[in-house]
Amino acid sequence: MYAVSRKVPTFELFIRCENCLRESLMVVEVPDVDDAPRDADQLADSNFLANLRFTCRHCRGNIGCVFGVAQGG
Ligand SMILES: [Zn+2]
C-alpha cells in the first residue's frame, strides 16, 4: 500500500509591471510532474515562467518582468 502524498512546490514570484512599474507578488504552483522545477534555480531555467500569464492588479497590464523568485512552502 502506497500512501503517496507528494508535496507540490510553490513559488513566490516578484514581478514588476512593465507598464506602471509597480510590483506584484504572485504565488504559483508547479505541476507535480517528474521534471517539474523543485527550486528557484530550476524554475528560472524551465519554460514555466515563459508560459505564465501575468496580469497587473494595478493597471491590468499583462507584461511583467520577474525580478525575484522565492520558494514557498
Ligand atoms: Zn501595472
Side-chain angles (χ1 to χ4, degrees):
M1 175 174 162
Y2 297 94
V4 178
S5 161
R6 285 171 68 183
K7 198 168 163 193
V8 178
T10 60
F11 296 94
E12 294 177 335
L13 304 180
F14 301 90
I15 303 174
R16 182 175 295 114
C17 175
E18 292 283 325
N19 185 44
C20 70
L21 301 181
R22 280 184 280 199
E23 296 168 4
S24 298
L25 178 66
M26 191 172 175
V27 178
V28 296
E29 290 183 357
V30 301
D32 189 14
V33 295
D34 283 345
D35 61 348
R38 296 289 165 190
D39 58 38
D41 284 341
Q42 290 178 23
L43 185 74
D45 287 341
S46 74
N47 61 4
F48 184 78
L49 295 181
N51 296 326
L52 198 66
R53 288 192 176 276
F54 166 74
T55 301
C56 177
R57 64 191 164 91
H58 301 291
C59 72
R60 315 287 296 170
N62 54 18
I63 302 174
C65 176
V66 177
F67 66 94
V69 179
Q71 189 159 11

